[in-house]
Amino acid sequence: MRIEQAEVIVTSPDRNFITLKLTTDTGITGLGDGTLNGREPAVVSYLKDSVAPLLIGRDAHQIEDTWQFLYRSAYWRRGPVTMAAISAVDVALWDIKAKAAGMPLYQLLGGASRTGILAYGHGSGASTEELFDSIRMHQEMGFQAIRVQSGVPGLRAIYGVTPSKTDAGVVTDPGSPDADQHYEPAQRAARPPEEDWDTRAYLRHLPGVFEAVRNEFGPDLPLLHDGHHRMTPIQAAKLGKALEPYDLFWLEDCTPAENQEALRLVRQHTTTPLAIGEVFNSVWDYRQLISEQLIDYVRSSVTHTGGISHLRKILDFAAQYQIKSGIHGPTDISPVGMAAALHLDLAIHNFGIQEYMPHGQRTNSVFQQSYSFIEGYLHPGERPGLGVDLDVDAAGRYPYETAYLPFNRLKDGTVHDW
Ligand code: GCO
Ligand code: MG
């Protein structure tokens, strides 16, 4: 079975998505997600100019060989652009192989290890009242685990917090039916939006928020929190310790994790479980974190980590150290990337939890999915392959729009991690 065509489809229904569609000489097609939020054109060019021409004529069944060829023959390795492009190819080939086998993809990964995939949703609020409403809304949607992100007094806009309906100057996409339900960090604008940040104010405020949430929602509900790389190691250690009474499922990205050693210090001071890795793109980024058991959950997405083939290797390595999966699943992972994650989640033994932000109606009109979300659990469905189709005509109705993620400045003007 030879690859005959490789098309890169860019569409922007509720946000930008990059999809690779491979067509074989048997007529079987496969889809892969290469979306890199805020830097989409770089992946499009990498795929169109450097990768697609090399795929034509290759045996579609040789997934591992194609992966190694793309990784090693480029000479320049790793990096988010390269690894997102390789991921798109890898996932499209797994989709094709599973369709050729007439099986849902998870069967080729070893079959189901569980009946459903526990998902967590994004609860957030500028105030405690709005946060409680948001948690309740997610519970009504079925979520049985909730990430908690809160406003901080004195700061305008904060990562992970849906802006108050009363906030002025907040650009949301008025066309999106879900605009006020979901936090969407990338903004369609010519320049990255600027946000403000103050770590001391955040550290003072957050433990009280978790205390209030535990008092209101009880001890059972798994609660998560994302620090989005903003703390120094000692600040992260302090936060982890302060949050211990509230029994977090995990504290995510507490430090900028390029510095793997930083987690040693955090670990020495707290038993709050640590999750990291959404900005990583290869097993090398995890080497020390996993072998020294400095983390509890791997946060990589299939989309940014070289696809199913490479993320599987990271997760198998992690399994030897009792470290579990927590695959990245915000809305900037397309339904194709999400479906790939679900097949992997269902098959691996060391599954932890799956992040899930439902896509908007326009996105779902472009990508028809077989996955389901029932009473807090996701399932990839039983259709052969990934179980996702892309309606090319619908995709064409939503052309690419420049969008940027925000960045942070401290009070004195210093740029800070966002
Ligand atoms: C998460 C992430 C996202 C990122 C986003 C950037 O935990 O889901 O932190 O919200 O900010 O993927 O594009
Ligand atoms: Mg995160």
Side-chain angles (χ1 to χ4, degrees), residues 368-387:
Q368 285 92 41
Q369 315 136 22
S370 69
Y371 55 80
S372 58
F373 176 65
I374 299 166
E375 291 175 13
Y377 287 81
L378 288 153
H379 193 284
E382 298 298 339
R383 276 177 42 200
L386 281 172

Side-chain angles (χ1 to χ4, degrees), residues 156-402:
R156 275 182 301 127
I158 295 207
Y159 164 76
V161 179
T162 308
S164 294
K165 293 196 185 80
T166 50
D167 270 0
V170 173
V171 190
T172 48
D173 175 2
S176 165
D178 318 278
D180 53 352
Q181 254 190 55
H182 294 304
Y183 169 74
E184 185 66 74
Q187 307 244 325
R188 287 165 167 166
R191 298 201 173 272
E194 183 177 323
E195 297 185 351
D196 51 354
W197 183 247
D198 178 343
T199 310
R200 288 188 64 231
Y202 162 77
L203 292 175
R204 278 196 305 275
H205 186 66
L206 198 68
V209 171
F210 272 90
E211 185 183 11
V213 171
R214 271 286 171 237
N215 287 342
E216 180 72 13
F217 294 93
D220 270 1
L221 183 65
L223 299 176
L224 303 86
H225 179 72
D226 191 344
H228 231 244
H229 324 276
R230 292 170 183 204
M231 288 166 272
T232 63
I234 200 70
Q235 289 169 334
K238 187 175 172 181
L239 180 65
K241 210 168 175 178
L243 294 178
E244 277 172 22
Y246 315 114
D247 189 24
L248 264 63
F249 186 95
W250 77 37
L251 171 61
E252 175 187 348
D253 286 342
C254 58
T255 53
E258 295 95 318
N259 177 7
Q260 299 191 23
E261 289 83 356
L263 272 289
R264 275 198 203 133
L265 188 141
V266 182
R267 212 37 158 186
Q268 278 160 11
H269 290 279
T270 181
T271 55
T272 294
L274 302 175
I276 220 153
E278 70 184 33
V279 299
F280 292 172
N281 41 68
S282 88
V283 70
W284 301 102
D285 299 317
Y286 283 103
R287 200 162 56 123
Q288 188 175 3
L289 296 176
I290 291 177
S291 61
E292 291 187 25
Q293 298 186 242
L294 301 180
I295 56 169
D296 301 281
Y297 295 94
V298 164
R299 282 289 287 140
S300 283
S301 64
V302 172
T303 305
H304 302 134
T305 321
I308 288 173
S309 300
H310 194 67
L311 185 51
R312 173 93 204 221
K313 288 175 187 173
I314 297 174
L315 292 173
D316 285 347
F317 174 34
Q320 315 314 314
Y321 297 88
Q322 294 78 52
I323 297 169
K324 296 188 179 202
S325 71
I327 300 182
H328 193 213
T331 34
D332 42 293
I333 300 300
S334 87
V336 174
M338 176 58 64
L342 299 182
H343 286 280
L344 195 52
D345 285 331
L346 201 66
I348 54 173
H349 177 249
N350 56 330
F351 169 76
I353 201 164
Q354 171 66 51
E355 181 180 23
Y356 179 47
M357 281 178 87
H359 286 106
Q361 286 165 22
R362 286 199 296 222
T363 297
N364 294 339
S365 75
V366 173
F367 297 93
Q368 285 92 41
Q369 315 136 22
S370 69
Y371 55 80
S372 58
F373 176 65
I374 299 166
E375 291 175 13
Y377 287 81
L378 288 153
H379 193 284
E382 298 298 339
R383 276 177 42 200
L386 281 172
V388 181
D389 291 322
L390 187 144
D391 180 335
V392 178
D393 295 334
R397 284 199 282 278
Y398 306 110
Y400 170 77
E401 289 188 46
T402 302

